[in-house]
Every structure is written in C-alpha cells, then in structure tokens.
Amino acid sequence: MRPEPFAFRDPRTQPLPDTDAFRVYMAGDWGPIERRADVAAGAGSAARAHRAKLGEGFPGRTIVAAAGRAHVCSNDTEFPFRADSDFVWLTSCQAEGAVLVMTPAGAGHDATLFLPEPVAAGDDDAFYTDPLRGELWIGPAAGLADWATALDLEVRPLGALEDALDALPADTLAAGAPEPRLAERFAASAELAVALSAARLVKDEWEIAQLRAAVDATVAGFRAVTDEFAAAIEFGGERWLQATFERHARTFGNGVGYSTIVGSGPHAPTLHWTRCDGPVQPGDLVLIDAGVEARTLYTADVTRTFPVDGTFTPAQRTVHDLVERAHRAAMAQVGPGRSFLDMRTTAYESIVTALHELGILTVSVDEAMSPGGQQHRRYLPSGTGHHLGLDVHDCAKVGDERYLSEPLAPGAVLTVEPGLYFHANDLTVPPELRGIGVRIEDDLLVTPTGHEVLSAALPIDAAGIEAWLRR
Ligand code: GLY
Ligand code: MN
Ligand code: MN
C-alpha cells in the first residue's frame, strides 16, 4: 500500500514555474465536463439492504469499513485497484480510499460514506500537480453529489474522515481492507469479518442477477476461446487463449475474477497453471478455468476441458467420463437442507471409485476417505467446490463448521468442480493416462426445490463438448 499522504515527485519532468501567471494559466478556461458515478441499476438499494442485514447482528454498535488502496507495483506505478469485497457488498461503491461509517440509529444504523473528492480545474493546484487526484492526470471523476445520488447514501469528503473517526466509540468494529486511519484507532474485528461472510452466504435477487450476468458472459468467453484453437496451435499457444478470454472479460465485464488457467497437454493436470505460457499442440486436451467478473464485481468460475482437435482420444474420454460421473453425482447433492460436505463427500467418493476402476488405487473407499488415508488427493489435490459471489472463494471467513455442515439455503451459490489430474511423470498411473488432466466446474444456485446450474449453457459430457466444438 502506498504511503499516505503520497508525495512522489517525478524527476523526469521540468519543474513547474512558481508564479501566479502560470497558476492562472493552468487553472482557467476549462469548460464544463460530464461527471457520473458508475453504479449499476439497483446497486444502491441492494447495498442498503445488505447494511440492514449486517446491522441486525450488531445493534448499538458502530461499524466502519474501508475500500482499500491500490498496491504499489514499483515507484509511482500501481496494480489496478480493486475495492474490498465486504466494502463493496455494504456500499456498491468501488472508489479507492473510501470509508463507510455505520452508526447506531433507532433499531438500526445510519450510514455515511467518506469519499475522495476529485480535484477539478479551479479547485487547487493539485488539478495539474497531483498524478493521483488531479483531473488533468486521471480524467473527470464523480463528485460527492454524484455518488450520493447514485447510491442514495449520505456522502462526505474524505478530508472530514479523521474528525469523524475521532468522535466514534473505542469499541467500534472495523472491517474491509487495511486502512491506516482505521487501524490506528480500532482493532480489526474477527467477529465482524465472520458476520460479513455469513451474511454473504445467501445472495439476494439483485446479486443473483449479477452472478447470472457474469456466468453468461463467461460462457460467451468460452465460445470466443474455443474459436481460437487453430490460432493457438499455429502460433499463440496458451497465452493466446488466456488473452482471448481476458479481452472478452474486460470488454463485457470488469475483467477476470481470478487468474485465468489455461493448461494444454501436460499442463492440464497442474491445478493452478496460471503461467499459461506453453504451446497448444494437436491432440492436446486443454483445460480452461476462467471467470468473467461483472462490473459490479460478482464473478463466475467455470472450467471445461476440451480436445483441441475436436475429438477426445479413447484415453482422454475415459478420464472425462469418470469426472463427468463424479460431477453429476456431486451436483445432485446440492439443494436446500443438504450441506456443502454432502457435495464434497460424494465427489471424493466418486473419484476414489474411478481411481479403483482405473487400477490406480487399491485401498477401500472408506480407507481413502478416512483422515489418515486421503490417497486420492494425489490425483485430486483440491477441494471440489466453494461458495461464489463477490469473491471467487466467497464467504471464506465463515468458519469450517458452518461452511461445511450448515444446510444450504436457497440463494446460496456454489461451484462444483471435481477433477482427475494425472501428471506426465506419475509412475503410479498407467502410461496411457499420464499427462491427462480433466476438471468440470459449474456454478450452481440453490433454489427452494433443488438447484439451478447457472452455467448450463456449456455441455458437461464428452459428446456434448465435441458437438460444442463443431458448432
Ligand atoms: N479457479 C479457481 C477455482 O476454481 O477455485
Ligand atoms: Mn472454483
Ligand atoms: Mn475455477
């Protein structure tokens, strides 16, 4: 995080004249410009409901939450800023440096959002001297009134934050991104972090619409990527496919919700092949795990494994069929009243059975599933799903007991993603299966009667995938 206040002086430029004539010249004769807070329809009222939901658990308590700051890459360059997910859930605001204060009022809470003000022409010299805030450098930004209207929330300038924080009680609960002005006054509250994860477990209608949009854009992104297999084989390799998806994600969403995985041939069995720097060769299976993050920051998380020439080899198909069987069995466990653990246990048991059928594992299912066994994890090191929302691994702070064992409620959204990963140098695997990696990952919404596969537009079975590639 960059120091505050930030005082970078760029030695490459000529110093500015310290004269009134220069200041007047720089500040004057600028016409009006359009300002707009970029907030999706319905986002303000969704955030209002989220604050009320969280606040119910903390009557009489003051809550603060920070959006965070861009991380420095080097010197005066930064990584792209991405606001803290808890903060976004509470505000629907993505402004860097913003801080939310919720103070007890009646049975609930009042909310005030402290926001950085853009420095426009005529405000002060920072308009042209400050590369971080000056509009001559960063372009026109929404003003406080624009944000207040768009979010239907009281908004105050960030400059008033220190005094406001000084007036808050010492037992104020802090959440969100690390923020020095909060950290020096209030301890980060683990209780609040858990409550935020718990409150985010069940998505409301507005959030579900965001997730649908993210998944739909992701399915379209898979089409864009599979249309590029010939180019990937000819000259671009995994990089070409990664970049194709990411261009699509940036165009139709905010970007990607996590590091894209494109693993072709012997890279497919590597769970986190985010290097995406290898070739794509005829005969390869290519595993693509990619998600569009919507502009509201809700993300999809989808995986399919494709034969780049359009047809699975018999060995590839055998593995794909077994993963498909595990995937369908695990998805059948997703519904109201079932637990995350039901899904995970079924997925692992099905994978253990598959490993038996392939002659790779000889231990019993019970032994493999026991805490001291876990032999299948050599071939499936990861979990088999997770909650999904503003974070790809959503609601992660809710605690193992609740995450695993609490009955799933309608409105929960989770991935199911079993796989089999046979590394090229794994001597426990029959030679014809070495180097094959398959994952099938879908995004499921729990409904009152069962579940809906949000990513159902993508085929699950090998024949369906071959048909998708022919289209
Ligand atoms: N790509 C991250 C995940 O599947 O969880
Ligand atoms: Mn996932
Ligand atoms: Mn994934």
Side-chain angles (χ1 to χ4, degrees):
M1 206 184 303
R2 65 169 180 255
E4 171 84 22
F6 184 76
F8 179 84
R9 294 184 63 81
D10 188 343
R12 296 161 304 176
T13 58
Q14 278 187 292
L16 296 175
D18 185 16
T19 65
D20 285 343
F22 178 74
R23 282 189 278 273
V24 167
Y25 185 72
M26 292 300 281
D29 290 330
W30 297 95
I33 197 147
E34 190 194 346
R35 299 173 182 285
R36 184 167 59 84
D38 205 3
V39 175
S45 47
R48 178 183 294 280
H50 296 165
R51 290 192 297 275
K53 186 176 183 182
L54 180 74
E56 276 171 18
F58 297 93
R61 299 294 297 272
T62 301
I63 293 168
V64 292
R69 308 274 171 158
H71 291 262
V72 171
C73 178
S74 67
N75 301 321
D76 60 337
T77 58
E78 298 166 338
F79 293 105
F81 174 68
R82 202 281 196 183
D84 176 84
S85 295
D86 283 332
F87 176 85
V88 171
W89 187 78
L90 288 167
T91 63
S92 288
C93 170
Q94 299 180 28
E96 183 178 358
V99 173
L100 172 72
V101 176
M102 291 171 56
T103 50
H109 291 78
D110 283 340
T112 306
L113 187 59
F114 291 83
L115 282 171
E117 280 186 286
V119 186
D123 286 348
D124 66 53
D125 295 353
F127 166 64
Y128 56 89
T129 61
D130 188 335
L132 294 168
R133 297 187 305 130
E135 288 197 342
L136 193 61
W137 291 81
I138 63 168
L144 301 189
D146 306 304
W147 279 112
T149 304
L151 296 172
D152 190 21
L153 184 62
E154 185 192 339
V155 172
R156 296 184 62 196
L158 204 51
L161 179 67
E162 303 266 351
D163 287 346
L165 294 179
D166 286 343
L168 298 182
D171 67 351
T172 292
L173 302 162
E179 167 60 53
R181 283 169 294 197
L182 300 186
E184 66 196 26
R185 291 172 174 83
F186 315 115
S189 167
E191 183 191 4
L192 184 59
V194 170
L196 278 157
S197 263
R200 287 169 49 189
L201 275 171
V202 171
K203 277 66 180 173
D204 57 36
E205 286 303 318
W206 183 84
E207 293 181 286
I208 291 166
Q210 307 313 307
L211 284 161
R212 280 187 198 285
V215 172
D216 290 349
T218 298
V219 171
F222 272 73
R223 172 56 71 198
V225 171
T226 54
D227 283 349
E228 294 293 317
F229 280 168
I233 291 171
E234 194 183 342
F235 59 86
E238 295 168 356
R239 292 172 197 265
W240 187 264
L241 302 180
Q242 175 195 16
T244 300
F245 187 85
E246 295 186 357
R247 173 168 56 84
H248 180 94
R250 180 63 188 156
T251 304
F252 298 104
N254 184 55
V256 289
Y258 55 90
S259 299
T260 305
I261 296 167
V262 178
S264 200
H267 296 154
T270 300
L271 277 176
H272 289 173
W273 187 259
T274 53
R275 282 180 247 171
C276 306
D277 61 357
V280 175
Q281 290 173 327
D284 278 359
L285 271 189
V286 58
L287 184 155
I288 300 170
D289 183 343
V292 172
E293 180 186 69
R295 293 185 192 157
T296 51
L297 305 187
Y298 287 80
T299 191
D301 178 11
V302 174
T303 307
R304 287 295 184 275
T305 311
F306 300 95
V308 292
D309 318 315
T311 313
F312 288 92
T313 65
Q316 292 168 349
R317 177 143 191 171
T318 296
V319 178
H320 198 281
D321 287 350
L322 292 169
V323 175
E324 179 199 341
R325 188 178 72 189
H327 188 59
R328 291 189 190 279
M331 288 201 299
Q333 293 293 322
V334 176
R338 313 306 292 255
S339 70
F340 184 92
L341 198 54
D342 292 334
M343 180 278 288
R344 192 182 78 182
T345 303
T346 297
Y348 278 148
E349 285 177 351
S350 181
I351 288 294
V352 173
T353 304
L355 290 164
H356 273 268
E357 290 167 11
L358 295 171
I360 294 170
L361 269 192
T362 50
V363 298
S364 69
V365 173
D366 284 347
E367 184 184 337
M369 294 298 291
S370 71
Q374 300 292 308
Q375 291 85 350
H376 54 289
R377 301 297 290 281
R378 178 172 174 130
Y379 316 97
L380 171 49
S382 70
T384 63
H386 48 83
H387 283 269
L388 185 69
L390 279 165
D391 293 314
V392 61
H393 296 167
D394 213 41
C395 309
K397 298 194 182 105
V398 78
D400 288 355
E401 179 60 27
R402 268 193 91 171
Y403 199 106
L404 295 176
S405 303
E406 189 173 276
L408 295 168
V413 176
L414 62 159
T415 72
V416 176
E417 50 174 310
L420 278 170
Y421 309 102
F422 298 138
H423 290 273
N425 63 337
D426 188 337
L427 304 183
T428 69
V429 171
E432 67 276 15
L433 300 182
R434 292 181 198 162
I436 294 177
V438 173
R439 172 159 68 257
I440 305 172
E441 178 172 26
D442 278 301
D443 301 342
L444 278 66
L445 165 68
V446 178
T447 64
T449 54
H451 67 255
E452 176 189 345
V453 183
L454 300 177
S455 42
L458 280 170
I460 290 174
D461 61 304
I465 287 185
E466 290 175 350
W468 162 278
L469 292 175
R470 278 195 298 275
R471 257 196 290 143

